[in-house]
Amino acid sequence: STCSCGCGFQISDEEQGYDLDLFCIPKHYVNDLERVYIPHGLILDRTERLAREIMRDMGGHHIVALCVLKGGYKFFADLLDYIKALNRNSDRSIPMTVDFIRLKSYCNDQSTGEIKVIGGDDLSTLTGKDIIDTGKTMKTLLQLLRQYNPKMVKVASLLVKRTPRSVGYRPDFVGFEVPDKFVVGYALDYNEYFRDLNHICVISEAGKEKYKA
C-alpha cells in the first residue's frame, strides 16, 4: 500500500515474497536465498515514480546528485536515468552533476557502529542511498554535508526498514518501507556478495554462514 505522508510503498510484515523458481536467479546464489522479496521490475517502476516526485519538488535548482556507495549504485544509476528521461521529454528540467561517496558500517548482517567515509569532493544538494536501516549512518552523513553549507539537502532512499533500532530519521523520498529483514541484491550486499543480483531477496541462514566474514 501507499500513503500520502512520504512513507513510500509499504510492504507488510506478513509479506513472504515470491518463490525463487519464478524468477531468473544466478545459479551460484540459488541455495543462498530464501525468497525474492521485491522483483526487479517493481523496483524500476517505483524508481520511475520517485524520479517524477523529485522533478516536481526540485525543479529549477541545480543538483549535485550524491551516490552513497557501494549499495546505492544501482538505485542511483536507475533513478538518474529516469530523471534524465524527464529532462529530455518535459517542459521542466533539472541541471545536474554527480558525485560519489562511500560509507562502510556493516560486517556480516550487523552494523559495526563505526562509519567510515571515503570520497566526496563537491557535495551540495541531493543524496541518493539504497537503504535506511537504523538511520545512524545517514545522520552522520548529513552532519558531514552541512560542513559544505548546501542550500538544501534532500535524501532519496529505495528502502526504509521498520525497526526498533531506528533513531527516527526519515528520508525525503522513499521507494519501499519494509519489515526488519536482512535483504540483498540490486547492489545491496552481504560481505560484498549478492551485488550482482537484480532482485531484492531475503538471504537464507545457509547463505549467511557461507559468506560470513
Side-chain angles (χ1 to χ4, degrees), residues 167-185:
V167 296
Y169 172 76
R170 298 290 304 189
D172 302 280
F173 304 99
V174 179
F176 301 90
E177 182 182 287
V178 298
D180 193 8
K181 298 177 183 286
F182 193 86
V183 292
V184 295

Side-chain angles (χ1 to χ4, degrees), residues 11-13 37 106 109-110 131-134 160-166 177-183 202 208:
I11 298 179
S12 71
D13 291 345
Y37 204 58
Y106 265 77
D109 61 347
Q110 299 295 319
I131 186 167
I132 303 290
D133 191 343
T134 64
V160 171
K161 284 186 180 179
R162 293 189 298 274
T163 171
R165 302 184 307 279
S166 174
E177 182 182 287
V178 298
D180 193 8
K181 298 177 183 286
F182 193 86
V183 292
V202 178
K208 289 182 183 180

Side-chain angles (χ1 to χ4, degrees), residues 1-3 6-12 42 46 158 162 174-178:
S1 63
T2 58
C3 68
C7 293
F9 187 102
Q10 296 188 46
I11 298 179
S12 71
L42 182 56
R46 181 70 185 130
L158 180 63
R162 293 189 298 274
V174 179
F176 301 90
E177 182 182 287
V178 298

Side-chain angles (χ1 to χ4, degrees), residues 57-151:
D57 293 354
M58 303 291 290
H61 294 280
H62 173 266
I63 291 178
V64 176
L66 175 65
C67 177
V68 180
L69 298 171
K70 296 181 184 176
Y73 83 84
K74 281 290 294 174
F75 175 52
F76 183 80
D78 289 336
L79 180 64
L80 260 60
D81 279 347
Y82 285 123
I83 290 176
K84 287 187 291 183
L86 288 169
N87 272 346
R88 294 191 302 268
N89 298 306
S90 64
D91 294 333
R92 300 177 66 191
S93 63
I94 300 177
M96 186 167 53
T97 54
V98 301
D99 203 348
F100 302 87
I101 193 168
R102 183 178 175 190
L103 303 181
K104 186 172 178 60
S105 63
Y106 265 77
C107 180
N108 298 325
D109 61 347
Q110 299 295 319
S111 175
T112 62
E114 179 183 356
I115 300 166
K116 297 179 181 178
V117 180
I118 306 166
D121 299 320
D122 181 23
L123 312 179
S124 186
T125 53
L126 178 69
T127 70
K129 185 171 167 57
D130 208 51
I131 186 167
I132 303 290
D133 191 343
T134 64
K136 293 178 182 177
T137 301
M138 185 52 65
K139 291 190 81 170
T140 299
L141 175 58
L142 291 175
Q143 289 172 359
L144 172 66
L145 292 176
R146 290 190 190 101
Q147 299 174 18
Y148 293 83
N149 297 316
K151 292 180 179 178

